[in-house]
Amino acid sequence: MTSSIFPQQPLVAAKAVVKDAVMGGDSNSRAPSTYPKMADHPVGQKIQSIYKDRLGQFTGRGQYDTKNLVPMLDEGRVSGEPHVKLSVYSPPDLARPTFSEATSHDFRPTKTGEWFGPSWSTHWFRVRLRVPAELLKKERLELHWDANNEGLIWTEHGEPLQGLTGGGERVEWILPDAFRDGKEHVFYVEMACNGMFGNAPGGDSIQPPKADKYFQLHTAEIVAVNLEARALSVDFWIIGDAAREFPGDSWESHEALRVCNAIMDAYVLGSKESVLEGRRIAQAYLGKDVDSARVYDGDKEPIVYAIGHCHIDTCWLWPWAETKRKVARSWANQCDLMDRYPEHRFTCSQAQQYKWLEQLYPSLYDRVKAKVKKGTFQPIGGSWVEHDTNMPSGESLVRQFLYGQRFFEGHFGERCSTFWLPDTFGYSSQLPQLCRLAGMSRFFTQKLSWNNINNFPHTTFNWVALDGSQVLCHMAPAETYTAEAHFGDVKRSVTQHKSMDQDASSLLVFGKGDGGGGPTFQHLDKLRRCRGMSDKVGLLPRVKMGDSVDDFFERLESKARSGTEFVTWYGELYFELHRGTYTTQANNKRNNRDSEKMLHDLEYLYALLSVRDGPKGGKPYPKKDFDDMWENVLLCQFHDCLPGSSIEMCYDDSDELYSEVFERGSRLLKEAVSALGLDELSPTGEGEVVGLNTLAWARAEIVKLPGPVRSQGDARFGLATGDGALASVQVLSESSRRSKASVEEVKKGVFRLSSADYRLEVEGGSITSLFDVKARREVIPKGSKANQLVIFDDKPLYWQAWDVEVYHLASREELPAGETAVVEQGPDRVSVMTETRISEHSWIKTTITLNASVEGQPSYVEMDSEVEWRESMKFLKVEFPVDVRNTEASYETQFGIVRRPTHYNTSWDMAKFEVCCHKWADLSENGYGVSILNDSKYGFATCGNVMRLSLLRAPKAPDAHADMGRHHFRYAILPHAGALDERTVRTAFNFNNPMRLYSRPRHSSGPSLASLTLTGSPSLILDTVKRAEDDADVSRGELPTRSGRSVVVRIYDSLGGTSAGTLHVGALGAKRAWRCNLLEDDGEEVAVEDGKVQVLLKPFEVGTWRLLL
């Protein structure tokens, strides 16, 4: 064996030499391996799920919170006397006194543990605070105050400092360094007995508020904060999120889990050094700059742009009075954060809230204004409030922008370029046009992410109005305007982005919202760490702070200028949720429309009266009155007020505001009528009866005389005709009337109403036949019933006042026929009235009326309803099946028409089972159609050939008494030969604006009103006549004035075609004219020739002209 082995050794050595030669070294150049030869002990692979679950132990509350990081978050706490002495003043009757009022009263001693209430009450605490010697040198001293309700800290001298949220959120206030002198210092806490989301009982915030809710002051203490431990908790939070939310097969997730466990392993309870070691470990994943704004200084391109925001619902689950305090609490917080976090940029909309702050908290307003000047507090939105856009009239939308933009320009020196509306329940198809006319080319929202049927397909896109105008729209892909600035919010800003083919960037809008509050220091700390993680590790989208919303949109617009084509969306942004808001709180909606009509009429009258006698004469234009009225109306159009989704207290508030509007409007109308030489109608019939027409076209209609006219015996009706502001009224008599109406009971319970235009039969309150005499056509399909009242079960999935779900349609039930009686015998008007029992507690009286025909005027059948409504979770509607077929129906919207499907072909079609309309809806086929008019309703549906007007709902949350009580409304059916045209549009205006009757001395040549008329295409609507905002004799000084007197007119194309007309301005004495925008900035000057201005508008275009006298 020996001989067989040894001969091989030279061969082995030779191979080694060859190998060394090839490797370029000799056989002794390689150092011996230091890797352990022997296994020291078994090492197992970490079970990922277990080590992830372990992470919750480090910062969580529970069985380990005495052993984990929690005890290290502070270095000492003291409460009670002598360090924290408390006394309180509790105002009576739910009053909300000012600081000076409250502090003028006596305060009684109190302490933690005491309860305060009831709901909505206010309690003022005087706090006498002395920092103990052992805490004087600590790095950070804070007051922690928590009674599970909101509060505001004031200085001893009445300066608001810091808002408090309660319930463990935003309970801290950093004590000033001046408090470190060992002496007693005094400040105040104003406690509001409501949580951030009102006072609902239990955990369901949308339930009606509890009236007797009490709050315990359980925390009032001085806390020495361990800032490094607090920072480590945020480090651990974000790295832990990475471990949980990064893909499980990514090295980034595994590394995050390793780092977190290393931090936990290094931690020793009570050891400050272990906390610092944990922070050093975290740097391996987050980088070294997460404690300062330097973290954002890197040159790597971000794609997520974070902006702080505080959405404060101007009313919702709390009344307006509480909103005013929420504004102060929230914005004081942000001013403080801006001082501590230089990267913090905060944006907030709603001019109304800025005005409240200026009026009620002037020193805080000055702080905000200074931050605005610095560029850190950024006004946005350009509107008076974040308003509903479905139901306000076109002119109301204009005024939202006019008043909003003028406020921002007048107070901050700059208009807004971005319309900000994140939380409104759908978006009108004309908003892009109105935005552009108000100086805004950009739009931000996100509400369509709530759609419960279809997923809206875009993030960044061009939204196109009916006239072709567009705005660049961005919807935050994080799908919230109240992001918590979590790791997941940043991540979703990319993973849920739907426009990556055009642009990958997005806005991340973060901060506590709806009930206010805004960003917290935790939000800002988390975002710093998210940015650090992106730069150090990658994978997470890179977030940036320090820019504005306008900076974000400017980058998008720059990209568009460079050739990027963003996708387009034409027409309305229909919200597939909250469809019940078209109907809930019906009387509130009636007040909205009535106030809009009143303001239209008053501005028209006073604009012409103020220039009636030439440049130096006329009746003064009551601009302050109009401003106050408009601001009240615009406030009530807030997106939780007008839609009907607020608590009952809010409608007490809005009723009060509307009452003020109507009271002031009635006074102004009386003065205007007097200036025209008119009087109220005399019961003795003295004077000539005239009708006041505030619409810009000739009218001829039958009017009911309020009392007998002496010279005409028992005449009860007249024919009002005229093409100006004053229409003559011919009292109708046997000798003067040209047409008659009649009514007869053709068989038991069946009544036939007839005129030269229609012949209809009514049975049990329903119309079983409606024959168009001139068209020789039956309107109602055989066997069907129009004006059929139907009721539905109305139990949505959750949001009672907001929602009606598609499944409610299956519960349709016809109300039983009622007893019918004749109430008007003719010959000028005939009527039958039917009382229908809805339930034991509810009824409806419907009067069906047919007037005698008026030559050349459309005729309709009118329904006038009085309802006592005491239902629960029911939905009342009225149906009109018509013998017309089309796959689309038309609905009036602001300054135009929206066409929507009458079928359910796709889920997008079916989603529109309930839609919004204004004064009319129409279903037409070639050659014939039917319009349904209304005077105060907004909900509608057309399913096949059934037109259905929504009347009343009965939700029980958040207002337990929503819509309960008495209602009055009118609607009508208007058949028409031919296509949908100006007859429907103008008749709906007439229906909503019945002429007011007055008397004037017979043969009077007294004061008149200058004529301002529009001729040409009948699709043109002269919608608004007003004085210019900045005329010297009108302006209230907000912005520079212009010399001379001018009248502003607004005209739109109502039918969707290029329309030409002539505006006759000679009677006004107009010498020059400009086409202008909604803000009344002059654009191109247009010719005034022979007292005429030529008008040319594209389809559904809105045009505004300023006429200089």
Side-chain angles (χ1 to χ4, degrees), residues 83 136 183 223 264 293 315 333 343 345 350 410 561 572 612 653 675 721 755 906 938 1107:
H83 304 296
L136 290 176
K183 299 179 181 179
V223 179
M264 294 181 71
C315 68
N333 295 339
E343 75 271 26
R345 300 295 181 268
Q350 306 196 75
R561 289 191 293 269
E572 69 177 330
R612 180 177 58 182
D653 289 345
T721 57
S755 71
T906 70
Y938 296 94
L1107 311 173

XYZ file of all heavy atoms in Angstrom, residues 83 136 183 223 264 293 315 333 343 345 350 410 561 572 612 653 675 721 755 906 938 1107:
178
model
N -48.757 72.234 41.719
C -48.169 72.483 40.407
C -49.212 72.809 39.340
O -48.933 73.577 38.419
C -47.336 71.271 39.983
C -46.283 70.923 40.966
N -45.237 71.760 41.265
C -46.123 69.828 41.769
C -44.471 71.206 42.187
N -44.978 70.030 42.514
N -37.349 71.502 35.818
C -37.010 72.774 35.179
C -35.962 72.625 34.084
O -35.973 73.369 33.102
C -36.530 73.774 36.231
C -37.597 74.307 37.195
C -36.963 75.199 38.244
C -38.674 75.073 36.422
N -41.838 79.925 38.936
C -42.928 80.756 39.417
C -44.259 80.274 38.850
O -44.316 79.477 37.911
C -42.698 82.214 39.024
C -41.416 82.814 39.606
C -41.244 84.253 39.138
C -39.946 84.846 39.701
N -39.744 86.241 39.225
N -45.695 67.393 31.748
C -44.969 66.204 31.312
C -43.613 66.635 30.760
O -43.533 67.538 29.914
C -45.739 65.426 30.236
C -44.951 64.200 29.785
C -47.115 65.019 30.748
N -35.457 46.343 19.094
C -36.073 45.746 20.280
C -35.041 45.000 21.120
O -35.058 45.070 22.363
C -37.214 44.801 19.865
C -38.382 45.508 19.211
S -39.730 44.378 18.761
C -40.376 43.947 20.386
N -35.653 69.183 8.517
C -36.128 69.382 7.150
C -35.048 69.066 6.126
O -35.340 68.998 4.923
C -36.625 70.826 6.973
N -70.548 73.215 8.494
C -71.491 72.638 9.455
C -71.636 71.181 9.073
O -71.451 70.808 7.937
C -72.849 73.362 9.461
S -73.831 73.143 7.955
N -53.035 75.634 15.640
C -52.131 74.482 15.631
C -51.154 74.554 14.474
O -49.960 74.274 14.615
C -52.924 73.176 15.524
C -53.795 72.919 16.724
O -53.563 73.455 17.798
N -54.826 72.101 16.551
N -40.442 72.855 6.804
C -40.934 72.320 5.531
C -42.454 72.307 5.438
O -43.020 72.066 4.364
C -40.411 70.895 5.324
C -41.093 69.814 6.175
C -40.431 69.590 7.530
O -39.796 70.536 8.042
O -40.540 68.474 8.067
N -46.095 72.979 4.819
C -46.950 73.848 4.013
C -48.393 73.394 4.234
O -48.708 72.217 4.109
C -46.603 73.766 2.529
C -45.177 74.179 2.207
C -44.897 75.641 2.493
N -43.536 76.020 2.159
C -42.518 75.986 3.009
N -42.708 75.555 4.261
N -41.310 76.345 2.632
N -62.138 78.033 1.692
C -63.351 78.593 2.284
C -63.133 80.003 2.851
O -62.756 80.174 4.007
C -63.946 77.667 3.339
C -64.184 76.247 2.819
C -65.099 75.436 3.686
O -66.308 75.644 3.682
N -64.544 74.498 4.438
N -58.622 90.609 -1.889
C -58.668 91.785 -1.039
C -57.896 91.624 0.253
O -57.347 92.590 0.782
N -47.472 71.434 -21.693
C -46.897 72.339 -22.693
C -45.777 71.663 -23.475
O -45.497 72.024 -24.626
C -46.368 73.603 -22.013
C -47.454 74.532 -21.492
C -46.886 75.874 -21.065
N -46.021 75.782 -19.898
C -46.443 75.907 -18.643
N -47.736 76.137 -18.408
N -45.599 75.813 -17.636
N -70.444 65.845 -16.661
C -70.490 65.828 -15.206
C -69.619 64.722 -14.622
O -69.404 63.673 -15.236
C -71.932 65.666 -14.725
C -72.537 64.303 -15.014
C -73.942 64.135 -14.452
O -74.240 64.754 -13.419
O -74.729 63.388 -15.063
N -81.461 104.776 -13.327
C -82.654 105.191 -14.057
C -82.611 106.652 -14.473
O -82.997 107.016 -15.586
C -83.882 104.946 -13.184
C -85.193 105.333 -13.833
C -86.355 104.996 -12.921
N -86.233 105.665 -11.626
C -87.096 105.500 -10.630
N -88.098 104.652 -10.782
N -86.942 106.137 -9.502
N -80.064 76.748 12.409
C -79.210 77.863 12.012
C -79.559 78.374 10.621
O -79.671 79.584 10.395
C -77.740 77.428 12.031
C -77.188 77.230 13.433
O -77.840 77.690 14.394
O -76.128 76.601 13.565
N -90.485 102.736 -5.413
C -89.742 103.607 -6.317
C -90.281 103.543 -7.737
O -90.095 104.480 -8.530
C -88.269 103.230 -6.302
N -99.862 90.452 -19.619
C -99.074 90.434 -20.849
C -98.110 91.605 -20.856
O -98.413 92.684 -20.331
C -99.971 90.519 -22.098
O -100.762 91.705 -22.015
C -100.884 89.313 -22.206
N -109.356 72.172 -21.978
C -109.040 73.498 -22.500
C -108.836 73.342 -23.992
O -108.990 72.244 -24.540
C -107.779 74.069 -21.841
O -106.626 73.370 -22.286
N -75.386 49.278 -18.892
C -74.123 49.021 -18.218
C -74.243 49.434 -16.761
O -75.195 50.105 -16.353
C -72.967 49.819 -18.863
O -73.145 51.213 -18.570
C -72.939 49.613 -20.375
N -85.115 68.628 -6.618
C -83.853 68.400 -7.320
C -83.603 66.941 -7.684
O -82.747 66.661 -8.522
C -82.694 68.922 -6.473
C -82.734 70.412 -6.268
C -83.345 70.968 -5.137
C -82.195 71.283 -7.206
C -83.398 72.340 -4.947
C -82.244 72.669 -7.026
C -82.851 73.186 -5.894
O -82.909 74.554 -5.719
N -71.452 96.972 -19.107
C -71.964 98.095 -19.894
C -71.704 99.375 -19.128
O -72.236 99.576 -18.033
C -73.461 97.929 -20.147
C -73.924 96.561 -20.678
C -75.436 96.489 -20.709
C -73.321 96.287 -22.049
